[in-house]
Amino acid sequence: MRDDIRIVLIGDDGVGKSTLVTALIKETFIVNVQAVVPEVTIPPEVTPENVTTHIIDTSSASDAQEVLEMELRKANVVCIAYAVDDRTSFQRVHTHWLPFLRLQGINLPVILVGNKVDLRDEDPLNATVLEDEVVPIMNEYREIEICVECSAKALLNVSELFYFAQKAVLHPTRPLYDARDHAMKSKCSEALVRIFRLCDVDGDGILNDAELNEFQRQCFNTPLQNRELEGVKEIVKASRPDGVVEGGLNVEGFLYLHLLFIQRGRVETTWMVLRRFGYGNDLSLREDYLSPEYDVPPDCCVELSPSGYSFLIEIFKRYDVDGDSALCSEELEQIFSLSPGVPWKHNKFPDSTVTNAAGYVTLEGWLAQWSMTTLLDYKQTLAYLAYFGYAGDIRDGIRLVGRQSGGLGSSLRRRKKGRAARSVFLCYVVGAAGSGKTSLIRAFARKPFSPAYTPTSRTATTVNSVDLKGSEKYLVMQEFGPYDTSVLQSRRQLDACDLLVMVYDSSDPSSFAYLTNLRKNYSLDQVPVIFVATKSDLDYVEQRGDVPPDIYCRELKLNAPVNVSVKSGQIASVFQRMAAITRSPQSATPSLLLARPQAWSAARILGVTALAGVGLVSSLVAYHAIKYWWTNVLHSRPSSSSSSHMPRRNEL
């Protein structure tokens, strides 16, 4: 809603424009006023619509043409005045002023103002003639909102004139109603049908008393009494009997009720409903409603809040018409008919998430898909919460969580800031062509194995939940094409990654070298990593390269590669291992692991012994034992050909 309005009065000289303005502000008729009164500003507290109102008087003189055009470009509504006792001034409305506005490219609401109605009695024919001629003009010029007859001298309808001018801006009739056809416009009907569906919580096509009352509370913050509810239904039933059925108001009755509001001059009531559900003057959902400001600090990411999850569960259950705990294509179509459509078509939804055997999206898959969307593009989630009719501020449906960058210090900082623990993590899956990346991420979404090979041409994503010691975590698995290394070159995209899944084909001798080259060419050691060897059902081959995969991982202080076979279903709990790394990223981050001092040196053994409370004597004994071992065992070990034995404990 705007907070100020500019009303510009135009018309022939002598029709009483200036007198109307002075009559409004002085509340009395002033005989002699100046030709053009200065701009008048009325504060919001004294106007019915609670907006600051600027009233601009103009002159029709040729030397004031430039000023007139400038004021019209700044106007929000135009009042064209004529005198009811001067037929020429009325005719010029049609022959000069309305064409003049169109010539200037002015497409604003217009109020026709018939002033000096107190003089009409002097010529009784004027009433019928003008009435017969005003209607055709309004039909031809649809920008005309209303025709108001008034009298500055008699103070008749003066304040009403400016009130209607305010309403024409704040609650315009034109987008809602076709005065020529006496019917509601299609965009208005579509918006109201969508609102009806959002309020029909049980999905039975009827607004029962409880749903009507909730609708009334949401839009007007006042519940209806039982007699008022019955009164509403009786009003509809009187003219539209098919609009009221047993149990309440159907969609036809709901639309007819709003048609009555508009036709009876209560268009602001319909606008209050439309604006409560996010519609702007063009009957499209407003940008600020779909995408409100939401600041995300660099060290944070966004997830669904508990209320966001609850709302999406409610939507799932509402549209699961057959009650099979899954959404078929028809049910999904019904859900997304409230919006521009399914937002994940590029990702081959529902292949990206969990479905049942028939390919229908389960509740688990539905929530997983929205968890992924919120992590990758929270603005899309906000927009769809609005499309689906989230009650209240849609920003309450999401929450900020701190990014887990590894290390005890960051964990302590997150707790100090009071941020919630994360539950959704992003995993980049990289590897050579044919290494099995697609099969791996499809297995994660519980899709059947396909022996057909299709090269990855664009980013593919799957999502699922993993139970980790009673805590549910969502992993978003994002696969990239073998030559799409832009993600590894971007510091911002790498910072968003919680786990790098490096995949190689254990039956292809060149596959692991692709990964070692990636690490050599890009700065990847700051990201937690897990190596996965696929196709373990095939014959194992030695990987070409200086170091075998297990030794390579050991040198990075990482666990050895996890061997899996998607084809035979041998997954080796690899996804649980991934989830465990996201909980403790420092355990798999090469840069952190390589920065640690060498484990179990003689000095560290002495230090640990001392910390254990053994005392100085025990420390000395331990020192001499190590010295004996070093001198007499390691340095005096016999050759492999001679007989030898490992020293027993009592020999030390």
Side-chain angles (χ1 to χ4, degrees):
M1 286 276 289
R2 61 171 59 251
D3 53 11
D4 71 322
I5 294 173
R6 292 182 69 84
I7 303 172
V8 175
L9 276 75
I10 65 174
D12 291 351
D13 287 343
V15 296
K17 302 187 298 295
S18 304
T19 310
L20 284 169
V21 177
T22 54
L24 175 72
I25 59 176
K26 300 291 186 182
E27 296 184 340
T28 187
F29 176 64
I30 299 175
V31 179
N32 296 314
V33 297
Q34 62 193 93
V36 178
V37 298
E39 178 179 324
V40 172
T41 300
I42 302 175
E45 57 269 16
V46 298
T47 64
E49 296 293 344
N50 197 35
V51 292
T52 302
T53 304
H54 308 276
I55 302 173
I56 295 91
D57 187 17
T58 64
S59 170
S60 61
S62 57
D63 58 353
Q65 183 81 2
E66 187 176 341
V67 175
L68 173 62
E69 293 176 6
M70 179 189 70
E71 291 296 350
L72 285 173
R73 284 193 291 272
K74 296 188 292 183
N76 302 120
V77 57
V78 179
C79 296
I80 305 178
Y82 62 92
V84 297
D85 65 332
D86 180 358
R87 184 159 183 76
T88 301
S89 70
F90 173 74
Q91 290 173 339
R92 283 195 27 103
V93 170
H94 178 252
T95 60
H96 173 71
W97 289 110
L98 286 167
F100 170 75
L101 291 179
R102 288 189 172 180
L103 188 64
Q104 296 296 319
I106 306 297
N107 184 22
L108 295 171
V110 172
I111 309 293
L112 294 186
V113 182
N115 192 22
K116 304 184 183 182
V117 73
D118 56 291
L119 301 177
R120 170 174 285 160
D121 293 339
E122 299 177 8
D123 184 1
L125 292 176
N126 278 335
T128 57
V129 171
L130 290 176
E131 185 175 338
D132 291 341
E133 293 186 356
V134 164
V135 173
I137 293 173
M138 293 182 71
N139 287 337
E140 181 179 352
Y141 292 88
R142 296 196 177 194
E143 56 263 45
I144 300 174
E145 288 279 324
I146 194 170
C147 179
V148 181
E149 292 192 332
C150 55
S151 170
K153 186 175 183 178
L155 298 181
L156 177 67
N157 287 341
V158 175
S159 60
E160 286 79 0
L161 157 64
F162 294 101
Y163 170 64
F164 281 121
Q166 288 178 331
K167 280 183 59 174
V169 178
L170 300 176
H171 312 299
T173 305
R174 276 195 300 165
L176 310 184
Y177 186 70
D178 190 328
R180 182 184 298 172
D181 298 333
H182 305 289
M184 191 180 291
K185 291 187 175 178
S186 59
K187 285 193 72 173
C188 179
S189 297
E190 290 168 8
L192 290 172
V193 168
R194 177 177 172 274
I195 291 170
F196 178 92
R197 289 183 57 201
L198 292 176
C199 297
D200 179 19
V201 177
D202 57 13
D204 63 352
I206 300 169
L207 291 185
N208 57 37
D209 287 357
E211 291 166 340
L212 274 171
N213 240 329
E214 178 59 21
F215 164 77
Q216 176 78 10
R217 186 198 64 75
Q218 283 189 52
C219 297
F220 309 106
N221 204 29
T222 333
L224 292 171
Q225 301 299 320
N226 287 337
R227 57 184 177 80
E228 293 173 319
L229 283 168
E230 292 304 318
V232 168
K233 287 184 274 189
E234 286 301 322
I235 290 171
V236 174
K237 195 171 184 179
S239 300
R240 188 64 61 86
D242 59 345
V244 180
V245 295
E246 184 180 355
L249 210 63
N250 62 20
V251 68
E252 288 80 11
F254 185 74
L255 290 174
Y256 180 71
L257 188 62
H258 284 280
L259 181 63
L260 284 180
F261 288 144
I262 296 168
Q263 290 178 337
R264 294 180 181 182
R266 293 177 55 191
V267 68
E268 65 274 13
T269 302
T270 299
W271 272 117
M272 287 178 72
V273 172
L274 291 166
R275 289 190 174 120
R276 164 60 189 81
F277 285 88
Y279 288 93
N281 280 6
D282 62 351
L283 291 181
S284 298
L285 289 171
R286 302 188 311 272
E287 187 64 26
D288 66 297
Y289 180 75
L290 295 174
S291 183
E293 289 187 10
Y294 193 78
D295 182 41
V296 182
D299 62 340
C300 290
C301 55
V302 183
E303 295 181 0
L304 283 166
S305 68
S307 66
Y309 277 115
S310 297
F311 175 73
L312 290 169
I313 291 171
E314 177 190 325
I315 291 293
F316 181 95
K317 291 179 177 178
R318 185 188 304 180
Y319 287 91
D320 179 19
V321 179
D322 53 13
D324 64 348
S325 298
L327 297 175
C328 64
S329 57
E330 291 79 11
E331 290 166 339
L332 283 170
E333 186 178 344
Q334 280 296 303
I335 291 179
F336 288 107
S337 66
L338 298 168
S339 70
V342 179
W344 312 301
K345 287 183 178 178
H346 68 283
N347 201 32
K348 299 181 181 179
F349 174 80
D351 278 353
S352 56
T353 193
V354 183
T355 56
N356 63 14
Y360 301 162
V361 180
T362 63
L363 177 59
E364 182 184 6
W366 173 254
L367 296 179
Q369 187 75 20
W370 283 112
S371 299
M372 174 180 72
T373 301
T374 308
L375 179 69
L376 299 179
D377 185 3
Y378 72 89
K379 291 185 178 180
Q380 189 171 75
T381 295
L382 283 177
Y384 275 80
L385 289 176
Y387 290 133
F388 295 159
Y390 183 90
D393 191 334
I394 56 175
R395 289 172 291 192
D396 293 337
I398 59 176
R399 65 175 183 170
L400 283 177
V401 291
R403 288 194 182 279
Q404 197 165 4
S405 56
L408 180 61
S410 63
S411 177
L412 290 174
R413 286 194 297 275
R414 283 195 305 279
R415 285 201 293 270
K416 183 180 286 188
K417 292 179 181 178
R419 290 177 181 147
R422 285 183 66 185
S423 61
V424 189
F425 299 89
L426 178 59
C427 308
Y428 289 164
V429 183
V430 297
S435 59
K437 303 186 300 299
T438 302
S439 295
L440 183 68
I441 70 170
R442 282 180 54 81
F444 182 54
R446 303 180 199 164
K447 305 301 177 186
F449 173 76
S450 172
Y453 172 65
T454 303
T456 301
S457 58
R458 57 179 299 172
T459 301
T461 310
T462 62
V463 61
N464 199 354
S465 60
V466 178
D467 183 73
L468 193 63
K469 297 181 180 178
S471 176
E472 189 176 56
K473 305 294 182 185
Y474 289 101
L475 298 184
V476 178
M477 310 284 281
Q478 207 162 61
E479 175 199 356
F480 304 95
Y483 304 107
D484 184 9
T485 56
S486 59
V487 65
L488 304 180
Q489 296 171 330
S490 168
R491 189 71 258 169
R492 180 184 60 82
Q493 288 182 285
L494 275 180
D495 286 343
C497 176
D498 298 296
L499 177 62
L500 194 61
V501 181
M502 305 195 86
V503 179
Y504 70 97
D505 179 356
S506 61
S507 66
D508 179 357
S510 304
S511 189
F512 189 75
Y514 178 87
L515 300 179
T516 59
N517 286 332
L518 282 184
R519 182 169 171 265
K520 187 184 301 181
N521 295 329
Y522 303 100
S523 302
L524 306 179
D525 285 358
Q526 304 295 324
V527 184
V529 63
I530 183 173
F531 284 86
V532 179
T534 59
K535 307 181 186 180
S536 62
D537 56 304
L538 301 179
D539 291 338
Y540 174 81
V541 297
E542 290 289 338
Q543 294 291 319
R544 297 193 185 104
D546 297 334
V547 183
D550 57 332
I551 303 299
Y552 186 87
C553 290
R554 190 185 309 163
E555 289 178 350
L556 291 176
K557 300 186 179 180
L558 297 170
N559 289 328
V562 183
N563 289 276
V564 302
S565 170
V566 174
K567 181 179 180 180
S568 61
Q570 299 171 4
I571 298 299
S573 302
V574 67
F575 303 121
Q576 282 74 16
R577 299 186 194 206
M578 293 178 188
I581 291 174
T582 62
R583 171 177 281 184
S584 181
Q586 66 274 16
S587 66
T589 306
S591 63
L592 296 177
L593 296 171
L594 294 171
R596 292 176 180 174
Q598 187 67 32
W600 303 114
S601 63
R604 288 195 65 184
I605 293 174
L606 290 177
V608 171
T609 308
L611 288 173
V614 176
L616 180 61
V617 174
S618 299
S619 299
L620 289 171
V621 170
Y623 170 76
H624 285 294
I626 293 166
K627 183 178 180 181
Y628 175 85
W629 175 268
W630 182 264
T631 305
N632 297 304
V633 178
L634 295 182
H635 286 258
S636 304
R637 179 176 297 175
S639 65
S640 58
S641 60
S642 62
S643 63
S644 64
H645 70 277
M646 294 297 290
R648 298 185 179 88
R649 186 182 298 274
N650 62 354
E651 290 180 325
L652 287 176

